[in-house]
Amino acid sequence: MSPPRRAALFGGTFDPVHNAHLALARVALEALALDEVRWVPAGRPWQKERAITPAFHRESMLRLALAGTPEPGRHVLDPVELARDGPSYTIDTVRELAAAHPGTVWTLVIGQDQYAGLHTWREWRALLASVQLAVAARPGAPPAADPEVAALPRVLLPLPPMAVSASDIRARVAAGQDISALVPPEVARYIEINGLYRAPIGS
């Protein structure tokens, strides 16, 4: 019998996708011996207070970025949350993916900030019973979490030492600054051609 397929769920607004996202996905592929990373752009993130860029732009930028990876076949864009009405909850996504891909072992990849607030997620106990958990950890900064969450198993992924954030990229574009070192070239061109992030932005 062949071993079960191993996949990671990597969700986020990806507004825009940037080089640190891609570096973390590569780390997860190798460190967790994954068959694929499944990128899931959020439709309506329930914990985001700022307005986010329309889904078709975020999905288009993500498709461009993934097509340029060294192993595009191991990076899969899944629009499951973009097609869903209402807020995006990870537990709903995990249930849909588990039903669509029986036998796959799923790992949820999240950052330290998400880990710290994981106890506020909808049905978080059921979520962590359904997936393995991998947390991107910054060097020298052990991830902190609610005690009940912290008591559960997780794998730490070394976060690439890259000072990149989507909010910084949006601010740089609004200020007319160069972002070519922060995002894939195709994404930088897409942002320029479509005039994204030029208006005043939220936090």
Side-chain angles (χ1 to χ4, degrees):
M1 179 180 296
S2 59
R5 184 168 180 80
R6 298 177 57 83
L9 167 59
F10 188 18
T13 51
F14 303 118
D15 192 13
V17 60
H18 53 66
N19 290 341
H21 290 137
L22 295 164
L24 176 57
R26 289 193 294 271
V27 168
L29 275 173
E30 300 310 317
L32 303 174
L34 300 173
D35 294 295
E36 71 175 46
V37 171
R38 187 161 290 248
W39 298 67
V40 181
R44 288 175 50 194
W46 65 277
Q47 288 187 324
K48 287 283 186 184
E49 295 181 359
R50 67 171 182 85
I52 61 174
T53 301
F56 72 90
H57 283 311
R58 294 184 290 114
E59 181 179 1
S60 296
M61 288 187 286
L62 194 47
R63 287 193 186 281
L64 289 170
L66 299 187
T69 60
E71 298 176 293
R74 296 176 71 190
H75 296 271
V76 178
L77 192 156
D78 195 323
V80 57
E81 292 191 2
L82 301 181
R84 185 186 303 148
D85 292 330
S88 297
Y89 295 109
T90 303
I91 183 62
D92 296 332
T93 301
V94 167
R95 285 170 175 157
E96 285 191 43
L97 292 175
H101 307 278
T104 297
V105 176
W106 291 96
T107 297
L108 176 65
V109 175
I110 61 175
Q112 286 185 235
D113 293 343
Q114 293 169 307
Y115 184 59
L118 192 54
H119 62 290
T120 68
W121 291 23
R122 172 174 284 196
E123 296 186 55
W124 71 265
R125 294 178 182 86
L127 173 64
L128 295 187
S130 305
V131 298
Q132 299 176 348
L133 182 64
V135 182
R138 299 183 186 93
D146 178 84
E148 192 174 352
V149 174
L152 297 174
R154 85 276 190 197
V155 175
L156 297 183
L157 297 175
L159 191 66
M162 304 174 69
V164 185
S165 73
S167 59
D168 179 50
I169 291 168
R170 295 192 301 270
R172 284 173 177 265
V173 174
Q177 298 174 0
D178 179 48
I179 60 168
S180 60
L182 306 178
V183 299
E186 300 83 1
V187 173
R189 283 196 293 271
Y190 186 95
I191 290 170
E192 181 178 6
I193 290 170
N194 290 277
L196 302 184
Y197 312 127
R198 291 180 183 172
I201 59 171
S203 60

